[in-house]
């Protein structure tokens, strides 16, 4: 999203690109890439048709009818291949993607329904589908360009370049098909799934501004907002200032007027620009990932009079049916926790998968262990805070990571051993003021095992930290 820079002593990065939310939303759709490919294939076909016409005209101007006859023979030979491609490609597309959807359904049942978004966002999946459709449409367009005349002196069109382009698309389709099958098979492997989730979650962390306030609510968080949160149990300020910035008095609140749904992201660049132009500070009231309904306060305006221009603030938020990674710090942990919980369910009973999920949970928490959390501060070019965005605090992330897994892992010594090892590793990596939630979860896990396991030897085994669970 940008490089970190320091101006006037303030850590800052390049401004968010205005199209960043749109780009993320398009990645969450499956229609855009195929539609763009179909438009592009029409453009390329038109260019290829013009090239074929130019070649035919040049040969006739030169009086080389023999060359025209040779090209006509080559094009007729290629017509058989193009006809075969046209007849087979759509059937091929249907069979391939039917099998793929079954594979995705199996992955969703094994891991979590939220892994389906990995398939939807996959670039190789979209590229494959787009090229398959483009090949099919291109073959149909080429067939329309063939002339019924066989006399070189009367033929009006020889689709030679078009036929070559179709063959190139067929070769590209074969290559993409191999890559697509490999990608789909990897989607059924838990190690690949949790790695993809973790990488996206770490990308969210990397895109967070370093300039943040303490882990405490900023501004008015009175009851009735339904969204603002204070720190969870054991939360502390962590690195950074001891209190939030002075935003000035709250002068207005902007409510959500669209459809009900999950707050997916906000257009940070435009919000900062609008706040600077109006001379105010905006505070996002709900957290990214919260469910909002019409009438829910979305923005609080601080430090200046409300203006008519701020009415457009509600159009700078994106609400959808499900959460996305774009600006949601806790969504990765939510998915990893879901995978671990499903693996620990009696119906699945796969503690090794749970251990793999815990591995990545520990990795994610380690990446944010030294970061200030709680509230992100987005500044304008002059370094003035213009947008305040709430994010989960350290204690909330730890609770999200371990609370549910800890409750389901008591009967699995492999998972309890891995949890203890992960908690011990995190305890050695965090500052003293962030140890409390980790110590609390370690204590609760130990107590739960002591209550549930009657044999002393089994208890000792289950409470022995082991990074591999049971190796």
């Amino acid at each position: 999203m940008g490089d970190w820079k320091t101006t006037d002593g303030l850590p800052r990065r390049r401004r968010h690109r205005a199209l960043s939310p749109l780009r993320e939303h398009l990645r969450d759709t499956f229609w855009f890439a195929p539609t763009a490919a179909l438009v592009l294939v029409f453009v390329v076909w038109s260019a290829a048709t013009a090239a074929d016409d130019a070649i035919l005209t040049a040969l006739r101007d030169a009086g080389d009818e023999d060359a025209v006859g040779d090209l006509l023979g080559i094009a007729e030979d290629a017509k058989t291949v193009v006809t075969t491609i046209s007849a087979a490609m759509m059937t091929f597309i249907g069979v391939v993607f039917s099998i793929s959807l079954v594979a995705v359904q199996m992955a969703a049942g094994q891991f979590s329904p939220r892994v389906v978004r990995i398939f939807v966002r996959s670039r190789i999946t979209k590229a494959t589908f787009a090229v398959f459709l483009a090949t099919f449409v291109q073959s149909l367009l080429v067939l329309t360009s063939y002339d019924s005349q066989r006399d070189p002196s009367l033929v009006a069109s020889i689709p030679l370049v078009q036929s070559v382009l179709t063959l190139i698309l067929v070769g590209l389709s074969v290559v993409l098909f191999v890559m697509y099958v490999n990608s789909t098979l990897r989607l059924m492997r838990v190690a690949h799934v949790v790695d993809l989730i973790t990488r996206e979650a770490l990308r969210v962390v990397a895109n967070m501004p370093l300039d943040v306030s303490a882990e405490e609510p900023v501004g008015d968080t009175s009851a009735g907002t339904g969204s603002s949160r204070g720190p969870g149990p054991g939360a502390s300020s962590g690195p950074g200032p001891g209190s939030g910035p002075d935003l000035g008095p709250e002068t207005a609140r902007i409510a959500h007027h669209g459809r009900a749904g999950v707050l997916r992201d906000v257009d940070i660049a435009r919000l900062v620009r609008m706040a600077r132009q109006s001379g105010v500070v905006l505070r996002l009231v709900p957290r990214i990932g919260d469910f909002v309904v019409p009438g829910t306060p979305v923005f609080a305006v601080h430090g200046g009079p409300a203006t008519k221009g701020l009415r457009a603030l509600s159009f700078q938020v994106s609400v959808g049916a499900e959460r996305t990674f774009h600006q949601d710090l806790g969504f990765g942990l939510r998915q990893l926790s879901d995978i671990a919980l499903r693996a620990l369910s009696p119906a699945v009973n796969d503690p090794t998968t749970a251990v793999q999920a815990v591995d990545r949970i520990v990795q994610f928490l380690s990446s944010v262990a030294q970061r200030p959390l709680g509230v992100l501060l987005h500044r304008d070019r002059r370094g003035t805070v213009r947008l305040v965005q709430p994010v989960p605090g350290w204690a909330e992330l730890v609770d999200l990571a371990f609370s549910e897994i800890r409750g389901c892992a008591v009967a699995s010594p492999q998972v309890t051993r891995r949890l203890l090892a992960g908690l011990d590793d995190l305890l050695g990596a965090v500052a003293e003021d962030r140890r409390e939630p980790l110590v609390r979860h370690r204590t609760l896990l130990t107590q739960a095992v002591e209550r549930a396991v009657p044999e002393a030897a089994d208890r000792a085994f289950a409470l022995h930290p082991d990074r591999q669970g049971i190796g």
Side-chain angles (χ1 to χ4, degrees), residues 330-348:
F331 189 43
L333 278 181
R334 177 69 274 164
Q335 291 188 73
L336 292 172
S337 179
D338 286 347
I339 292 174
L341 291 173
R342 179 159 299 202
L344 291 172
S345 67
V348 178

Side-chain angles (χ1 to χ4, degrees), residues 34-59:
T35 302
L38 293 180
V39 173
L40 181 61
V41 79
F42 273 100
V43 174
V44 173
W45 172 73
S46 299
T49 301
D52 285 328
D53 292 342
I55 293 173
L56 181 60
T57 301
L59 291 176

Side-chain angles (χ1 to χ4, degrees), residues 85-429:
I85 293 171
S86 175
M89 184 56 70
M90 186 54 69
T91 302
F92 181 65
I93 293 173
V95 172
V96 169
F97 279 85
S98 296
I99 296 174
S100 301
L101 291 177
V102 173
V104 171
Q105 186 177 10
M106 292 176 60
Q110 181 181 359
F111 305 128
S112 167
R114 278 149 291 282
V115 304
V116 175
R117 69 182 304 276
I118 297 176
F119 177 83
V120 174
R121 287 174 62 88
S122 171
R123 289 187 175 94
I124 187 63
T125 301
K126 295 176 182 178
T128 303
F129 191 51
V131 172
F132 282 5
L133 286 180
T135 304
F136 173 70
V137 173
Q138 171 68 15
S139 63
L140 294 180
L141 293 174
V142 172
L143 290 176
T144 64
S145 299
Y146 277 94
D147 198 329
S148 59
Q149 290 288 343
R150 295 294 181 267
D151 188 345
S153 61
L154 299 177
V155 68
S157 173
I158 301 178
L160 181 64
V161 176
Q162 301 173 56
S163 300
V164 172
L165 178 62
T166 304
L167 296 178
I168 292 174
L169 286 175
V170 171
L172 181 59
S173 298
V174 172
V175 173
L176 286 175
F177 172 67
V178 175
M179 298 173 63
Y180 172 75
V181 170
N182 178 67
S183 175
T184 303
L185 291 176
R186 293 176 68 189
L187 182 62
M188 302 179 67
R189 296 164 51 192
V190 62
H192 178 67
V193 171
V194 298
D195 179 63
L196 283 177
I197 293 172
T198 306
R199 277 191 286 169
E200 288 206 59
L202 293 178
R203 192 175 297 117
V204 178
V205 176
N207 290 336
M208 290 171 52
L210 289 175
D211 183 19
V212 303
S213 72
E215 294 183 25
E216 58 184 40
V218 178
D220 179 19
T221 56
S222 58
T225 64
S227 299
S228 298
R229 299 181 179 90
S236 58
S237 62
S243 60
D246 182 12
L247 305 183
E250 182 178 311
T251 56
R253 285 203 168 193
I254 308 298
H256 174 59
H257 298 294
R259 62 171 180 169
V262 175
L263 180 61
R264 303 171 65 188
D265 53 36
V266 296
D267 195 328
I268 294 174
R270 292 183 181 177
L271 289 171
V272 169
R273 183 166 59 250
M274 293 172 68
R276 177 178 56 81
Q277 292 171 350
S278 299
V280 299
V281 180
L282 301 176
R283 176 169 58 85
L284 184 63
V285 178
R287 184 185 295 167
I288 301 297
D290 284 356
F291 191 88
V292 297
V293 298
T296 301
V298 179
F299 291 104
V301 183
H302 292 265
T307 63
K308 294 182 179 179
L310 293 178
R311 295 177 181 176
L313 287 175
S314 58
F315 297 103
Q316 309 308 319
V317 302
S318 172
V319 174
E322 61 179 353
R323 298 167 68 175
T324 68
F325 271 109
H326 186 206
Q327 297 170 7
D328 196 335
L329 182 62
F331 189 43
L333 278 181
R334 177 69 274 164
Q335 291 188 73
L336 292 172
S337 179
D338 286 347
I339 292 174
L341 291 173
R342 179 159 299 202
L344 291 172
S345 67
V348 178
N349 192 23
D350 183 10
T352 303
T353 293
V355 167
Q356 290 179 284
V358 172
D359 291 340
R360 299 300 183 163
I361 288 173
V362 174
Q363 177 188 356
F364 176 83
L365 291 177
S366 297
S367 70
V368 299
Q370 304 302 325
R371 279 181 172 267
L373 298 168
V375 176
L376 302 183
L377 306 180
H378 301 280
R379 300 176 180 270
D380 60 17
R381 293 177 178 176
R382 297 181 180 180
T384 303
V385 175
R386 292 301 182 185
L387 175 64
V388 179
Q389 176 187 351
V391 295
W394 170 252
E396 291 172 293
L397 291 176
V398 172
D399 289 339
L400 173 58
F402 294 117
S403 293
E404 295 172 301
I405 299 176
R406 173 174 51 78
C408 297
V410 176
S412 175
Q414 180 180 177
V415 182
T416 58
R417 288 159 64 95
R418 181 62 186 98
L419 285 173
L420 289 169
L423 288 167
D424 289 344
D425 289 341
L426 291 171
L427 283 168

